[in-house]
Amino acid sequence: MALAAAVCAAALAALTAVPAQAHQRPQWDVKDTGVSEVRFRGLAAVSRHTAWVAGTRGTVLRTTDGGRTWRDVSPPGAGDLEFRDIEAFDARRAVALSIGEGEASRVYRTEDGGATWTESFRNTDARAFYDCLTFFDRRHGLAMSDPVDGKFRILSTSDGGRSWQVLPDAGMPAAQAGEAGFAASGQCLVSAGPRDVWLATGGAARARVLHSADRGLTWTATDAPVPA
């Protein structure tokens, strides 16, 4: 009985013991990129070693050693652009979005770690202003523009960002007066799983969250209980 009691006590202690690391506070390290006068807005962490950042003055940086060193891999000739979103698949492949009215909204793609870039989309509609993008997988992705003709405009790719097409807007609810996305950090359009995507809005009478379960073809809108 004494042995059984000892075994039970040991088992109970093992079950209730809290690992030492559970009491440790999260630790952060500042990683100097070596770049000044640039505001980073887009971030894509591929692994604990590889990450991409994008920001003002057409800047894109990449690290493959956990942030100890950063390489400037900015697209040539993009110095006047404002990158707000970057989505990366690995250390070599990434897609970056610049924001702005008309032709300032562009998409760039690299397959060699930023050594070379291809401009795969340039907005030619002066009424459109693209804010952010997201990918469901390595091939399928969407980009979102502020309302055109009363509805948010959705851009779609099925080849990893090599080409883009504007989706029909029949399944998109009407936008409110003044409603828009916020091109602040590339997070106004977020996907989860193979088909679901969410769009957050503001600027109108009500803040809303729009959801699509079919990769952007049809949407439902829900009011959000936060200031618009």
Side-chain angles (χ1 to χ4, degrees):
M1 292 181 64
L3 177 60
V7 171
C8 289
L12 181 60
L15 289 172
T16 57
V18 178
Q21 59 266 29
H23 296 288
Q24 296 177 356
R25 298 182 63 182
Q27 299 295 314
W28 292 85
D29 295 321
V30 176
K31 304 297 185 181
D32 188 358
T33 64
V35 177
S36 61
E37 300 181 355
V38 172
R39 298 187 303 275
F40 293 120
R41 302 297 184 91
L43 169 65
V46 177
S47 68
R48 65 181 305 172
H49 301 295
T50 300
W52 302 66
V53 294
T56 59
R57 300 190 177 188
T59 304
V60 178
L61 305 183
R62 184 192 64 150
T63 181
T64 56
D65 56 12
R68 286 190 294 273
T69 60
W70 294 84
R71 180 182 177 186
D72 188 339
V73 294
S74 305
D80 293 333
L81 300 179
E82 302 285 324
F83 286 119
R84 287 295 187 272
D85 199 352
I86 186 165
E87 303 290 330
F89 309 114
D90 50 43
R92 297 182 61 81
R93 292 181 292 176
V95 179
L97 171 75
S98 67
I99 60 96
E101 296 178 351
E103 294 190 0
S105 288
R106 306 179 192 180
V107 177
Y108 288 82
R109 186 179 188 276
T110 182
E111 294 183 331
D112 53 14
T116 61
W117 292 84
T118 300
E119 181 185 307
S120 59
F121 172 77
R122 180 179 298 204
N123 174 46
T124 57
D125 190 335
R127 302 169 299 170
F129 186 117
Y130 285 87
D131 297 292
C132 41
L133 56 83
T134 189
F135 276 83
F136 302 96
D137 51 44
R138 293 173 180 263
R139 294 177 53 207
H140 300 89
L142 301 176
M144 181 276 291
S145 165
D146 289 338
V148 176
D149 293 331
K151 293 184 177 182
F152 285 95
R153 176 169 289 181
I154 302 297
L155 201 63
S156 174
T157 181
S158 59
D159 54 13
R162 294 181 181 87
S163 62
W164 297 83
Q165 299 80 37
V166 175
L167 291 181
D169 65 1
M172 174 66 72
Q176 304 174 89
E179 190 174 23
F182 290 101
S185 62
Q187 293 298 305
C188 54
L189 188 70
V190 178
S191 60
R195 306 188 70 81
D196 287 279
V197 59
W198 285 264
L199 165 61
T201 78
R206 303 179 307 278
R208 299 197 299 175
V209 176
L210 282 67
H211 170 250
S212 171
D214 54 12
R215 292 183 180 167
L217 292 176
T218 59
W219 298 78
T220 56
T222 303
D223 291 349
V226 296

